[in-house]
Amino acid sequence: MGPALRLVAQRLALGLLLLLMVSVVIFAGTMILPGDVAQSILGQSATPEALANLREELGVNDPALTRYFEWLFGVFRGDLGTALTNNQDILTSIVGRMQNTLFLAFWAALISVPLAIFLGLLAVRYRNRWPDKLISAVTLTSISIPEFLIGYVLMYFIGVQLGWAPTVATVYDGMSLGEKLHAIALPVAVLTLVVLAHMMRMTRAAILNVMQSAYVETAELKGLTMFKIIWRHAFPNSIAPIVNVVMLNLAYLVVGVVVIEVVFTYPGMGQYLVDHVAKRDIPVVQACGLIFAAVYIGLNMVADIVSILSNPRLRHPK
Amino acid sequence: MSDPLVKVRNLKIGATVYPPGERPRDIEIVHGVDFDLAPGKVLGLIGESGAGKSTIGLATMAYGRGGVTITGGEVWVNGRDILKSGLRDVRNLRGGEVTYVSQSAAASFNPAKKIMEQVIEASVEHGKYSRSQAEERARALFAKLGLPDPDNIGNRYPHQVSGGQLQRCMTALALCPEPDLVVFDEPTTALDVTTQIDVLMAIKDAIRDTGVAALYITHDLAVVAQVSDEIMVLKMGDMVEHGQTDQIINAPREDYTKALVSVRSIEHEEKKPTPDPVLRVQDITARYSGTKFDVLHNVSVDLHPGQTLAVVGESGSGKSTLARVITGLLPPRAGNIDFAGRSLSPDLAGRTREDLRELQMIYQMADVAMNPRQTVGTIIGRPLEFYFGIRGSEKRKRIIELLDEIELGKEFMDRYPAELSGGQKQRVCIARSLAAKPKMIICDEVTSALDPLVADGILKLLLDLQKIEDVAYLFITHDLATVRAISDSIAVMYQGKVVRYGTKSEVLSPPFDDYTDLLLSSVPEMRLGWLEEVVAHRKMESAGN
Amino acid sequence: MIANTPVSALIGLFLMALYFLMAIFAPLIAPYGMAEVVGGVWEPASANHLLGTDNIGRDLLTRMIYGGRTTIFIATAATLVSFTTGSVLGFFAAVAGGWVDQVLSRFVDLIMSIPTLIFALVVLSVMPVTIPVLIVVMGLLDSTRVYRLARAVAVDIEVMDFVEAARLRGEKTRWIIFREILPNALSPLVAEMGLRFIFMVLFVSTLSFLGLGVQPPAADWGGIVKENKDGIVYGIGAALWPAVAIATLAISVNLVADWVLNRTTSLKGGRG
C-alpha cells in the first residue's frame, strides 16, 4: 500500500472517530448540563407529575452512559427516536425535509462554485486593478452582513418591490422542477451570495499563491503563453487548494441553510431544527445536530483526502 | 570581432518597495550598466547582495521579477532591442534564444510533472524540435551532465532526485532548446561544497561542448573565476570593474575588487593545546526524540581556553546537533561533557546559572536571534541585568563599552534590529554573548548568511575579541576557508562521526583520509584552472550524489 | 500620527467610536423610552419618528439605539471571554508543548468539527436563554478559533532563535511568554480581535433572529428584524435598518483591523 493510500485510510478512520466523539459531545451537551433538563423544558410552573412523566420519557433516571449507548445504537439502526412534542418518528419527519435541504444546497452550490472560481480567476488576472478592487469591496460588504439580513434585503427589493420571485419558498411533492426552482430562487440567490464571497476570496488567495511560485516563473521564462502557463503549470497545482476551498464553503453552506430556511419558511432540516430548539424538543435537536455535524465532518474529510491524493510527493514516493 | 550576441546600454532598472505602514515608493536598483557579450563567451556577474546582478541577468530575457521593471536603456539580443519587442517576440526569445537556470531547482520545477516533460517543453513549444527529437536530445544532455541512468531519469518526478541532480536537470532544461545564451543565477550556491564542484564541472563542460554563451551570476569570485572568460564586478547597482577573468583575479584595478579578491586571507597563528581544556566532550551519542537513528556517534573533542575549535562538515554531518547537545537543548543518549573543570548536566534544566553564563551561543541568522521588539540596548543589557544585577547608569556605561568593542557607536543603543544591516546585527549578537563574560562561545555558522566582505569583518572582530576577552570558540561551519582563517584545532565531521581531529596543522597536512581530502579539495580557490586540477585528482565521489 | 493614518482607517475609527458612544449613552440619546408605544403600527418616517415606528408602534430609532447597546454589549463581552480563554490557553499550549498541547489541541479540533451555530443551538435547547448564558456560550465556542490562532502565532515565535537564546540564558517561562513572545504576537491578535467582534455581532443577531438570543421586550438588532420581518411582504422596510447598522459597524471594524495588521512590522524584518 502506497503512502497516499495509507494516509487516506488514516484520514477516513479519523473522520469516523471524530464523528463518534461528536456524538458524545452532542449527547453530553443536551443531557449533562447543570440543572434539571425536564425543569428547563417545562419551565418553572410545571407540576411535579408532569416533571416526573417527562423525566421518565427522557430516561433521565437511567445513568447517562446507558442512555448514550441506547441512543447511539438507535442511531446505528436508523432509529432516531420520537419527537417529544408530537410523538412522531423523527426519521420519517427528517427524510422529506432533508431532501428539500439538499435540493436547496445543491442548486446554491451548482451556481456558486463555478461562479466563485471564475471570479477568483478574474480577480487574479486583474490583480490590484479595478475589477479586483470592486470584487473585494463587494465581498467585504457581503461578509459583513448576517445571512438572514441579506435574505430580507433581497426579499424586499427583488421579491416585493420588483416582484420577480416569491418571498416564501413553499415546495411540495406535486411541483414540477421548474416550479420548484422558481420557488427557491431567492434563497438560492442569498446562499450563493453568502458563500460566494468567502469562496472567491479563498480561491483568489490559493491561485495567487501558486502563481507566485518559482515554477510558474520558470514557465514564463520558457516563453509559454499565459494560457499554457495557467493550464499546464498553475492549474494542476491549484486543484487541491481549490477543492479545499470549495469543500470548506459547502460545509459553510450547510450552516447557512439553517437560517435561510427560517427566513423563507422553507420546509427543510434547518427550520425543523430551529423550531424544535425553541420547543426544547431534545431528541429532535440531537438527531438534527448529529446529521449537520456529520455532513460538515464529511465535507472536511473529502477536502483532506483530495489534497492527499493530489500531492505528487505522496502519489509518487521515492 | 563578430557582432556581439548581447549588447546592453545604459540599463536602468527600478522596483517598487512597500514599507509597512507607508506609501509604496519607486526606487532605482540598477543605475545604467553597459556590457557586450560575444557568441560562445561566458561573462561572470559578481557582487554582494543588493548589487543587482540577478536583476541584470533577467533583463536579458526582458523579465522583471516581482515589482521590478526595466525603466531605461537598451538590451540588444541577436540584433534587436528586446525592450522594444512585442509580446510574441519576447516569448520567442524566452526559452528559445535565452534560457535561465535558477538557484533553487527544487522550487523551479513543477512538482506535479515529470522531469522530462519540463525539460523538453520549451524546445517543443518554440518548434525547435519534435517531441521525440527533444527527448533524445534531453537524454544526451542528461548523460553529458553526468546524471545517473540518463535514459530513465526523465521519467521521475522532481522530488524523486537529489538537489545536486535536480540542479543538473535544470541545466539540461536550459540547454535543451539550443539557446544562444544561458543565464545561470547562482546555480551552485544552495549545494554542499563537495556537490558544488561536480555541478560546476558539469556546467562548465556543457557550456564548452555546446558553444553557448552564458551569463554566470554569483557572489563567489572563486567560483566564477573557474567558468567565465570575463568578469564584471557590481556594487549597489553600479558597475565597478569589467575585464578578462585573468586580469580581475590577478591584477584587479579597483579597491572594491581587490577587497573581494583578497577576502578570506586572514592569517592566524595556531596556538598549542593546553593540559586543561575548558570543554571536554566525551563519547557523545545522540538522537532526536521520535527518531530511530543516532545522529551523533561517539563524538569526543576538546576545546582549550582562549582557543578556537572548528567543527567542520556538510549538511547532515551532525555538527549543529553537537552544538545542541553541548548547550543542553538535546540531552545525549550516552557520553558526558566537562566544562571548566566540572561535569555539565546533560539537560538545560539541570544547569546552574553560572554554567549558562559561561557558555554562550551565537546563531547563523542574526535577524531571528534578536527579539524584533527590543532595542539594541535592551538586547545587550539583559545579560548584564540577569547575570550580574547591573542596572541604571552602570548598565548604560557597560552597554556603551560593549558597543565600542564591536565597533558600533552608542547611537545604536536605541535602534531596533530591523534598522541594522546584516553585519551589524551579527555584531550585536556577539556583544550580547560577551556581556555575560563567558569562558566559551558556540558560533553556529555565524558568517554563512553574510556577504564575503562582511563575513571577513566579523571573523576579524571575533579574533580580536578572543585576544582581549580570552574566550574560547567552538566554531561550527561548512566553510573550510573560514576554518583555515581562525581555528587552532579542527574536527572534521561526516555522517555523525568525527573522521579527523587534531591541531590545525595536523588536520590540514597530508596524508588525508578520503573524506577530508574530498572536502579540502572542494573549496574553490581563487586561481584559474583550479577546477580542472581538482576534478582530475579526486579519490571519492561527492557526498551529494 | 493622524497625518500618516490612511483615510479608510480614519473612517473606520470614526464610525466605530460613534457606535460605541451611542451604545454607552443610549438612554441620553434615544428620543423615547425603549419599550414605549408612541404611535401607530409601522408609521412611515416623520419628523417625530426619524425611522418611523415598529410592529407595535414603538419608535424605531429608539429601538435601534437600544438594540445597538444590547448587541454591542453582548458582542464585546463575548469577545472578551473568547479572547481571554483562547489566547491564554493557546499560549500555554504552545509554551508547555507535549501532552498538554496535544490534549488541548485535540479537544479544540473536536469542538471545531461541529459547526458553531449548530452547537450553539444544541446547547441553547437545554439552557435558559439569558444574556449571561449567551455571552458565555458564544464566547467559549468562539474561543476555539482564538486558541488556534494564538497557538499558531506562539509556536511560530517559539521556534525563533531569540526565544532559544532566552532559554539558554536561563530565563523563566513567565519572562519568555510576556517579554519575548507576547510583544511579537500582539498585532495579529489585535487584528483577530476585530474579526472576532464582527463575528459575535453577526452571531448574536442571528441567534436573536431565530428567537434564541435576546428575549423581548429588550431590543437588539437581530430581534428588531424578527419583530418587523412580517412587514417586508407589505413593502415596509423597517426590518432592513439593522442590516445598515450591522454592515457599517462590521466594515468599520474591518478597516481598523486591516490597518492594525498592516502598520506593524512583520517579524522577518522591514524598518520599524
Short mmCIF file of all heavy atoms in Angstrom, two decimals, chain B residues 11 45 55 61 80 91 157 165 170 183 217 240 249 255 258 314 316 324 334 370 372 383 417 440 454 472 476 491 525:
data_model
loop_
_atom_site.label_atom_id
_atom_site.label_comp_id
_atom_site.label_asym_id
_atom_site.label_seq_id
_atom_site.Cartn_x
_atom_site.Cartn_y
_atom_site.Cartn_z
N LEU B 11 21.55 50.40 -19.02
CA LEU B 11 20.38 49.69 -18.47
C LEU B 11 20.02 50.22 -17.09
O LEU B 11 20.86 50.27 -16.19
CB LEU B 11 20.70 48.19 -18.40
CG LEU B 11 19.62 47.32 -17.77
CD1 LEU B 11 18.36 47.33 -18.61
CD2 LEU B 11 20.13 45.89 -17.61
N LEU B 45 28.92 37.71 -13.65
CA LEU B 45 28.44 38.91 -12.95
C LEU B 45 28.62 38.65 -11.47
O LEU B 45 28.06 37.69 -10.93
CB LEU B 45 26.96 39.16 -13.25
CG LEU B 45 26.58 39.54 -14.67
CD1 LEU B 45 25.08 39.78 -14.76
CD2 LEU B 45 27.33 40.78 -15.11
N THR B 55 19.01 40.76 -11.26
CA THR B 55 18.09 41.63 -11.97
C THR B 55 18.61 41.92 -13.38
O THR B 55 17.85 41.90 -14.35
CB THR B 55 17.95 42.94 -11.18
OG1 THR B 55 17.81 42.62 -9.82
CG2 THR B 55 16.76 43.71 -11.65
N MET B 61 16.29 38.72 -20.59
CA MET B 61 15.11 37.99 -21.04
C MET B 61 13.91 38.93 -21.00
O MET B 61 12.76 38.48 -21.05
CB MET B 61 14.86 36.77 -20.16
CG MET B 61 16.07 35.85 -20.05
SD MET B 61 15.77 34.43 -18.99
CE MET B 61 14.92 33.34 -20.12
N ARG B 80 18.35 42.84 -32.08
CA ARG B 80 17.21 43.73 -31.90
C ARG B 80 17.10 44.11 -30.43
O ARG B 80 17.53 43.36 -29.54
CB ARG B 80 15.89 43.12 -32.36
CG ARG B 80 15.30 42.13 -31.34
CD ARG B 80 15.15 40.82 -31.99
NE ARG B 80 14.33 39.87 -31.24
CZ ARG B 80 14.85 38.76 -30.72
NH1 ARG B 80 16.16 38.54 -30.74
NH2 ARG B 80 14.07 37.89 -30.14
N ARG B 91 8.26 36.29 -26.20
CA ARG B 91 8.01 34.88 -25.89
C ARG B 91 8.95 33.97 -26.67
O ARG B 91 9.42 32.96 -26.16
CB ARG B 91 6.56 34.52 -26.18
CG ARG B 91 5.64 34.83 -25.02
CD ARG B 91 4.46 33.87 -25.02
NE ARG B 91 3.68 33.96 -26.23
CZ ARG B 91 2.64 34.76 -26.39
NH1 ARG B 91 2.25 35.53 -25.41
NH2 ARG B 91 1.98 34.79 -27.52
N TYR B 157 9.79 12.19 -10.99
CA TYR B 157 9.26 13.50 -10.57
C TYR B 157 10.37 14.26 -9.85
O TYR B 157 11.28 13.65 -9.30
CB TYR B 157 8.06 13.30 -9.65
CG TYR B 157 6.83 12.90 -10.42
CD1 TYR B 157 6.58 11.58 -10.74
CD2 TYR B 157 5.94 13.88 -10.86
CE1 TYR B 157 5.47 11.22 -11.47
CE2 TYR B 157 4.83 13.53 -11.59
CZ TYR B 157 4.59 12.20 -11.90
OH TYR B 157 3.49 11.87 -12.62
N GLN B 165 21.42 16.68 -8.37
CA GLN B 165 20.95 16.13 -9.64
C GLN B 165 19.91 17.03 -10.28
O GLN B 165 19.92 17.26 -11.49
CB GLN B 165 20.36 14.73 -9.42
CG GLN B 165 21.42 13.70 -9.09
CD GLN B 165 20.82 12.39 -8.60
OE1 GLN B 165 19.60 12.26 -8.48
NE2 GLN B 165 21.66 11.42 -8.31
N MET B 170 18.08 21.03 -14.32
CA MET B 170 17.70 22.39 -14.70
C MET B 170 18.65 22.91 -15.78
O MET B 170 18.22 23.62 -16.69
CB MET B 170 17.74 23.28 -13.46
CG MET B 170 17.35 24.71 -13.74
SD MET B 170 15.86 25.19 -12.88
CE MET B 170 15.26 26.50 -13.94
N VAL B 183 21.36 32.07 -18.85
CA VAL B 183 21.60 32.87 -17.66
C VAL B 183 21.66 31.92 -16.46
O VAL B 183 20.66 31.28 -16.13
CB VAL B 183 20.49 33.92 -17.45
CG1 VAL B 183 20.75 34.72 -16.19
CG2 VAL B 183 20.38 34.83 -18.66
N ILE B 217 26.01 34.27 -12.82
CA ILE B 217 25.80 35.20 -11.71
C ILE B 217 26.13 34.52 -10.40
O ILE B 217 25.63 33.43 -10.12
CB ILE B 217 24.32 35.65 -11.70
CG1 ILE B 217 24.00 36.39 -12.99
CG2 ILE B 217 24.02 36.49 -10.48
CD1 ILE B 217 22.54 36.46 -13.29
N VAL B 240 31.50 48.26 -11.19
CA VAL B 240 32.74 48.70 -10.54
C VAL B 240 33.92 48.46 -11.46
O VAL B 240 34.74 49.33 -11.67
CB VAL B 240 32.96 47.95 -9.21
CG1 VAL B 240 34.28 48.34 -8.58
CG2 VAL B 240 31.81 48.23 -8.25
N ILE B 249 41.24 38.66 -11.49
CA ILE B 249 41.72 37.84 -10.38
C ILE B 249 43.16 38.21 -9.99
O ILE B 249 43.50 38.29 -8.82
CB ILE B 249 41.67 36.33 -10.76
CG1 ILE B 249 40.24 35.92 -11.09
CG2 ILE B 249 42.26 35.45 -9.67
CD1 ILE B 249 39.29 35.98 -9.92
N ASP B 255 39.61 49.23 -5.79
CA ASP B 255 39.77 48.80 -4.40
C ASP B 255 38.74 47.74 -4.02
O ASP B 255 39.04 46.78 -3.32
CB ASP B 255 39.62 50.00 -3.45
CG ASP B 255 40.83 50.90 -3.55
OD1 ASP B 255 41.85 50.44 -4.12
OD2 ASP B 255 40.75 52.05 -3.08
N LYS B 258 39.72 44.50 -5.37
CA LYS B 258 40.87 43.99 -4.59
C LYS B 258 40.39 43.36 -3.29
O LYS B 258 40.86 42.30 -2.89
CB LYS B 258 41.85 45.12 -4.29
CG LYS B 258 42.69 45.52 -5.49
CD LYS B 258 43.61 46.67 -5.14
CE LYS B 258 44.21 47.25 -6.41
NZ LYS B 258 44.68 48.63 -6.26
N GLU B 314 29.52 18.92 6.19
CA GLU B 314 28.47 19.36 5.29
C GLU B 314 27.11 19.18 5.96
O GLU B 314 27.04 18.71 7.09
CB GLU B 314 28.54 18.55 3.99
CG GLU B 314 29.84 18.80 3.25
CD GLU B 314 29.90 18.02 1.96
OE1 GLU B 314 29.45 18.55 0.95
OE2 GLU B 314 30.37 16.87 1.97
N GLY B 316 23.93 17.65 7.34
CA GLY B 316 23.68 16.28 7.74
C GLY B 316 24.86 15.62 8.42
O GLY B 316 24.81 14.44 8.76
N ARG B 324 23.78 21.59 19.86
CA ARG B 324 22.57 21.46 20.69
C ARG B 324 22.83 20.58 21.92
O ARG B 324 22.30 20.83 22.99
CB ARG B 324 21.41 20.88 19.87
CG ARG B 324 20.95 21.80 18.76
CD ARG B 324 19.70 21.24 18.08
NE ARG B 324 18.49 21.45 18.86
CZ ARG B 324 17.86 22.61 18.96
NH1 ARG B 324 18.33 23.67 18.33
NH2 ARG B 324 16.77 22.73 19.69
N ALA B 334 24.28 8.99 25.44
CA ALA B 334 25.43 8.48 26.16
C ALA B 334 26.56 9.51 26.09
O ALA B 334 26.56 10.37 25.23
CB ALA B 334 25.89 7.16 25.55
N MET B 370 17.47 37.88 17.48
CA MET B 370 17.18 39.01 18.36
C MET B 370 15.69 39.30 18.31
O MET B 370 15.07 39.24 17.25
CB MET B 370 17.94 40.25 17.87
CG MET B 370 19.43 40.15 18.10
SD MET B 370 20.24 41.67 17.62
CE MET B 370 20.17 41.56 15.86
N PRO B 372 12.65 41.23 17.71
CA PRO B 372 12.48 42.44 16.91
C PRO B 372 11.82 43.58 17.67
O PRO B 372 11.85 44.72 17.21
CB PRO B 372 11.60 41.99 15.74
CG PRO B 372 11.02 40.68 16.12
CD PRO B 372 11.93 40.08 17.15
N PRO B 383 21.60 40.44 29.56
CA PRO B 383 22.53 39.55 30.28
C PRO B 383 23.22 40.25 31.45
O PRO B 383 23.46 39.62 32.50
CB PRO B 383 23.56 39.14 29.22
CG PRO B 383 22.92 39.41 27.92
CD PRO B 383 21.96 40.52 28.13
N PRO B 417 16.46 45.93 15.85
CA PRO B 417 17.21 45.07 14.94
C PRO B 417 16.89 45.33 13.47
O PRO B 417 17.79 45.26 12.63
CB PRO B 417 16.78 43.66 15.36
CG PRO B 417 16.44 43.79 16.80
CD PRO B 417 15.88 45.17 16.97
N MET B 440 33.34 30.50 27.12
CA MET B 440 33.29 29.85 25.80
C MET B 440 32.05 30.30 25.06
O MET B 440 31.00 30.52 25.65
CB MET B 440 33.25 28.35 26.03
CG MET B 440 32.81 27.56 24.83
SD MET B 440 32.58 25.84 25.29
CE MET B 440 31.69 25.32 23.85
N VAL B 454 31.64 41.28 4.49
CA VAL B 454 31.07 41.47 5.83
C VAL B 454 31.49 40.32 6.73
O VAL B 454 31.87 40.51 7.90
CB VAL B 454 29.53 41.55 5.73
CG1 VAL B 454 28.91 41.75 7.09
CG2 VAL B 454 29.12 42.66 4.77
N ALA B 472 37.00 31.18 24.56
CA ALA B 472 37.20 30.07 23.61
C ALA B 472 36.00 30.01 22.68
O ALA B 472 34.88 30.30 23.08
CB ALA B 472 37.33 28.76 24.37
N ILE B 476 31.29 26.32 14.48
CA ILE B 476 30.65 25.33 13.61
C ILE B 476 30.49 25.92 12.23
O ILE B 476 29.93 27.00 12.09
CB ILE B 476 29.30 24.93 14.19
CG1 ILE B 476 29.53 24.15 15.47
CG2 ILE B 476 28.49 24.12 13.19
CD1 ILE B 476 28.33 24.02 16.30
N ALA B 491 37.90 19.66 14.02
CA ALA B 491 37.28 18.34 13.99
C ALA B 491 36.47 18.26 12.71
O ALA B 491 35.61 19.09 12.47
CB ALA B 491 36.37 18.15 15.20
N GLU B 525 39.23 27.70 -5.08
CA GLU B 525 40.39 28.55 -4.87
C GLU B 525 40.41 29.63 -5.93
O GLU B 525 40.00 29.42 -7.06
CB GLU B 525 41.68 27.71 -4.93
CG GLU B 525 41.84 26.86 -3.69
CD GLU B 525 43.02 25.93 -3.81
OE1 GLU B 525 43.96 26.26 -4.54
OE2 GLU B 525 42.98 24.87 -3.16
#
